[in-house]
Amino acid sequence: MTLEVLATVSLFALASAVVVGALGLLALRLLFRASLVLQLMVVALAAVISVVGGMAVAASQMYVSKHDLTVFYGVAGVAGLVSLAMAAVLGRSLVREGRELRSVAASIGRGERVVAAERHSNTEFAALAGELAATGERLAESRARENRVEESRRELIAWISHDLRTPLAGIRAMAEALEDGMAEDPDRYYAQMRGQVDRLSGMVDDLFELSRIHSGTLRLSVEQVSLYDLISDAVAGLWPVAQAKSLDLRFEGETGLTILADPRELSRVVGNLVMNAIQHSPAGCPIVVSVTENPDGRAVISVRDSAGGIPEEDLGRVFEAGWRASEPRTPASEPTRSGGAGLGLAIVRGIVRAHRGEVEVYNVPGGCRFDVLLPQHPVAAG
């Protein structure tokens, strides 16, 4: 075959392929909403027709016999049928997996948990199925968190309504007794009313603090703080309250530990944890407050009580606003922790997080221990 003939054959074959390809693209455009199986069969058919057209042009230039050309067309026809069959099989497989992925997406939309299938026809679909399953898991966790937050919000509203109603009812009753002249000891009534007002004021302060934490408007005024001095002052302030309940409140701390913190907010953290222990500890039990340094360099403030511990299923919820604990599973002869943490522990978590720290709770023999872990920033020497 001369170069001139080869060039002519190549040119005619290229022209045939371009024409067939253009017609194939037009057919795909007309079938853009059709089934994937049909589109794949169009692609396979266009490829076969392009080859047949090119060979027909080459045969006309090389004067191939009619018998040989017939044989060629027969072979090309068989190859075309096989190609169409393979395209149909592949298309049906892709369509089936597409339906499965659509079903998975619909399940995610309904809030159901999905599991990625173990086998797929290609890596792309396998990756897509895995990502859908991971997305469904994240959405399920997000919905669970949202449900817990909503439940906590409802509990908080119920808690506030109940705890506000009690002092308000007491103040109203004492005010009516004073108005009617029925109070035998007015000074005692005034003192009790002032105590109830202080209690209401404390609850309002807690709500305001929690609101600042949740809205992200809590601003810290940080300075170098000696943890020994700060905690010893907080414990000394609550020592009379512990003595009134015959509790042994002790502070065991290391000296020299300093961090960058807001002393007022950090004092509130210690006070809330100690008051929580006082409220739930039976008379005669010890409450130990300590401060140490972790091997990772963080300062650890611990408050340990002997109030019977917290049920394991409730450990993850003690820092939720308005949470109320269920009864612990301890023998009747042992001290138990009843009631809830209200807002105090939720405020503790918010303040600790604002200091880029962590707060954890563990059950220990006879009670539980709260640990506040804070990043330590020692004062520079000299």
Side-chain angles (χ1 to χ4, degrees), residues 26-100:
L26 179 61
L28 289 177
R29 185 175 181 83
L30 295 175
L31 298 172
F32 76 101
R33 290 186 178 276
S35 169
L36 180 62
V37 177
L38 182 58
Q39 292 179 350
L40 286 175
M41 293 181 69
V42 168
V43 172
L45 184 62
V48 172
I49 293 175
S50 177
V51 172
V52 172
M55 292 300 298
V57 172
S60 66
Q61 294 295 318
M62 292 185 297
Y63 304 103
V64 178
S65 67
K66 185 176 294 186
H67 175 270
D68 292 342
L69 193 59
T70 301
V71 172
F72 163 73
Y73 287 145
V75 172
V78 173
L81 292 176
V82 173
S83 298
L84 291 175
M86 292 181 64
V89 172
L90 176 60
R92 288 178 62 85
S93 175
L94 295 177
V95 169
R96 183 177 63 254
E97 294 209 30
R99 291 198 189 101
E100 292 176 357

Side-chain angles (χ1 to χ4, degrees), residues 154-315:
R154 289 195 298 266
E155 291 176 353
L156 175 59
I157 293 174
W159 179 85
I160 293 172
S161 301
H162 176 271
D163 281 45
L164 286 178
R165 189 182 298 114
T166 301
L168 287 174
I171 293 173
R172 181 183 181 88
M174 287 183 285
E176 289 176 350
L178 290 170
E179 287 178 352
D180 297 339
M182 302 297 293
E184 299 179 358
D185 188 356
D187 290 338
R188 182 171 63 86
Y189 274 50
Y190 291 137
Q192 291 178 347
M193 290 174 67
R194 185 171 62 250
Q196 296 288 3
V197 170
D198 290 341
R199 179 183 176 188
L200 288 173
S201 178
M203 293 175 62
V204 171
D205 288 344
D206 284 348
L207 287 171
F208 179 69
E209 185 79 358
L210 194 63
S211 174
R212 290 201 301 161
I213 291 171
H214 285 173
S215 63
T217 59
L218 177 64
R219 296 293 180 265
L220 302 178
S221 300
V222 297
E223 58 185 75
Q224 292 287 355
V225 175
S226 168
L227 289 180
Y228 183 89
D229 294 339
L230 183 143
I231 298 174
S232 60
D233 289 344
V235 170
L238 291 173
W239 189 81
V241 182
Q243 284 294 103
K245 289 191 64 175
S246 301
L247 296 172
D248 181 15
L249 177 59
R250 303 193 302 265
F251 173 45
E252 301 172 354
E254 295 183 7
T255 59
L257 285 178
T258 58
I259 64 172
L260 278 175
D262 186 321
R264 177 178 175 275
E265 298 295 345
L266 196 54
S267 294
R268 186 164 194 161
V269 167
V270 177
N272 283 3
L273 290 176
V274 174
M275 182 57 70
N276 177 67
I278 291 174
Q279 289 174 345
H280 296 99
S281 296
C285 291
I287 298 175
V288 181
V289 184
S290 62
V291 58
T292 57
E293 181 181 356
N294 240 11
D296 61 5
R298 290 187 295 179
V300 182
I301 302 172
S302 299
V303 178
R304 176 171 177 170
D305 61 37
S306 302
I310 300 172
E312 292 294 331
E313 64 272 16
D314 289 336
L315 282 175

Side-chain angles (χ1 to χ4, degrees), residues 323-343:
W323 168 79
R324 296 265 174 168
S326 58
E327 288 296 325
R329 297 178 181 178
T330 54
S333 59
E334 297 183 10
T336 61
R337 179 187 299 270
S338 61
L343 304 180

